[in-house]
Structure formats: structure tokens, C-alpha cells
Amino acid sequence: MPIQPTLPERLKAGSPVVTAWCGLPDPSVAGILAREAFDAVVLDLQHGSMDFAAAVQAVPLIAAAGKPALVRIPVGDFASASRYLDAGVTGVIAPMINTIDEARRFASFMKFPPVGERSWGAYGALSLSGMEAGEYLQRANDLTVSFAMVETREALAIIDDILAVPGIDGIFIGPSDLSIALSGGKGLNPTGAEVEKALDHALSRAKAAGKVAAIYAVSGARAAELSAKGFHMVSIGNDISMLRAGAHAALAAARA
């Protein structure tokens, strides 16, 4: 059986990684989406209703489909990043990273020494990886991916500094919050001209730093546009929007 590329390898391979996005608390939803043609599944603990227990139960279901799991942690909950990595999560997205100190604190929980200060306890990760403890310790920093979310003017202003933090593997753009920040709270327009300009800037800075640029897309069509821009990872919609879209399509067909 051929060895499957790791998520970091996939992110650097050229073709964008397309992920599902889950916030519903039933782990089976993530497991079902993992069986589709997504490259990975993101579990949302910031705005979703999923908690730690549900996320941990979802990880092996996603892994059983041969896909990596990522989580978006709540704002400022950097310590939980290590717990999710211990459970076998491959990538962690930290929202609202607006200072260098926040980026450093996040990275410290994501990486083992000498890069960070992650403590040992990776029992779920060992089970899923099939590695011995020593091997995992030596390889983990290169197998896990840390995304600092850029979604404010403050973050845009220091994006090069965030990208330069050891242990930060890339940025993840939240276009909706970015549009709110750029408009001073006057509107929600994740595809507006000012947001597009900011996206191009963030993408170019990430590539210049040799880091990964990821982003959230509200639809498959928008995901195609963002992939064409050159983003390395694009998350499509979420489980609720997909459920509603399926219901709308079925009802429209039934009542045609």
C-alpha cells in the first residue's frame, strides 16, 4: 500500500487542499463528510456547537476515512491546541491572532522543544499514527500544522511578523470577520473590493515567507475562485449550510 502524503506535504504539493467544515456536535457528521471527496475535515469549536469530547470522538472517524482532522479552537484558548494534537488532530486554527505575543503563545503549545513548549501526552496521536513514542516526538513538529487566523486590521498590519514566528506554519483568513473589521463594523461583505485587496496582500506575504495560506469559502463556487488565486487550503461552507442546501434542492425538485 503506497504511503500517503502528510498534510504538510499536501499543502506544499501545488494543488489546493479542500476541506469540509463541521460545527454540529454529532461526531458522525464529520465522519460522513470525511467519506466524501474532501481532503480533510475541520472541526469548529469557535462558532460551532461542538465541544472537546465530540471533537475527540470525531477524530478517529475522520482518520478511518484516511483523512486528517483539523480544529478551530476558541479565541485565546491556546492551551487546548496541545490537547487536540494529543488526540490525533493534524492541524489547529487559532482565531483572532492580533499580536506577536498571541502568535508566539499559540506556537508554543503547537510544537515540541526546541521550537515550542508542547508537553508530552500524545497517546491518541500515537495510536492513529502507528509510530513509537520516540519517532513521534522527533517528527511531530513537521507533521502538525499551525494556522494563525488573520481577520483584523491589526493582524494585517503585522502579518510579516506573525508569519516569522517560529512554529507558525501559516495563516488562515476569515473573510467575513475581515470584512467587518475593514468596514469598521458597517457591513458584512466577504467578497468586497477591500477584502479582495487584503486577501491578495495576505496571500503574497505568506508565499514570500514560504508559509501556507488558507481561507474559508462560503460556497464551492467561491472556493474555486480562491483556489485559482493560489490559496493552499480552502474550507467550503459548513455542515449546516450543506444540510440546508440539500434540503432546498430536494424540496425544489419535489415541488417542481
Side-chain angles (χ1 to χ4, degrees):
M1 184 176 179
I3 298 175
Q4 296 297 316
T6 65
L7 179 59
E9 290 171 341
R10 286 289 310 274
L11 289 168
K12 296 175 182 177
S15 298
V17 171
V18 177
T19 83
W21 190 277
C22 294
L24 291 171
D26 189 334
S28 66
V29 174
I32 290 168
L33 288 174
R35 294 287 176 178
E36 299 301 323
F38 294 104
D39 300 309
V41 178
V42 179
L43 308 172
D44 184 13
L45 286 94
Q46 182 193 8
H47 290 301
S49 53
M50 183 173 286
D51 61 12
F52 178 80
V56 169
Q57 292 176 54
V59 171
L61 298 179
I62 297 168
K67 309 291 175 64
L70 299 90
V71 297
R72 179 167 70 169
I73 57 177
V75 176
D77 190 13
F78 303 129
S80 70
S82 294
R83 296 185 71 195
Y84 289 109
L85 294 177
D86 289 345
V89 162
T90 300
V92 180
I93 303 165
M96 292 291 176
I97 298 293
N98 294 324
T99 69
I100 304 305
D101 180 63
E102 289 171 344
R104 288 173 177 159
R105 287 176 58 211
F106 172 47
S108 73
F109 287 104
M110 284 294 299
K111 305 296 182 179
F112 286 117
V115 179
E117 301 174 5
R118 180 183 169 191
S119 62
W120 183 254
Y123 304 111
L126 288 176
S127 177
L128 291 176
S129 70
M131 298 179 193
E132 296 297 329
E135 181 185 5
Y136 179 81
L137 175 63
Q138 295 302 312
R139 296 186 59 192
N141 285 355
D142 294 325
L143 295 176
T144 55
V145 186
S146 57
F147 290 103
M149 286 198 77
V150 172
E151 42 195 347
T152 63
R153 288 186 182 275
E154 292 83 356
L156 283 173
I158 59 169
I159 191 168
D160 288 336
D161 296 322
I162 291 173
L163 287 162
V165 171
I168 295 296
D169 299 307
I171 54 173
F172 192 106
I173 308 296
S176 293
D177 276 319
L178 188 57
S179 75
I180 294 171
L182 293 177
S183 69
K186 295 178 181 178
L188 178 64
N189 184 6
T191 60
E194 193 172 9
V195 174
E196 288 293 322
K197 182 179 179 180
L199 297 186
D200 291 339
H201 172 69
L203 177 59
S204 69
R205 300 320 301 157
K207 290 188 173 182
K211 299 292 181 76
V212 176
I215 192 165
Y216 181 89
V218 296
S219 67
R222 180 59 175 161
E225 295 173 358
L226 295 168
S227 295
K229 275 183 179 288
F231 279 93
H232 303 94
M233 186 175 87
V234 182
S235 295
I236 303 178
N238 57 49
D239 45 10
I240 294 176
S241 66
M242 291 181 184
L243 182 61
R244 292 187 66 192
H248 290 169
L251 286 167
R255 292 173 174 165

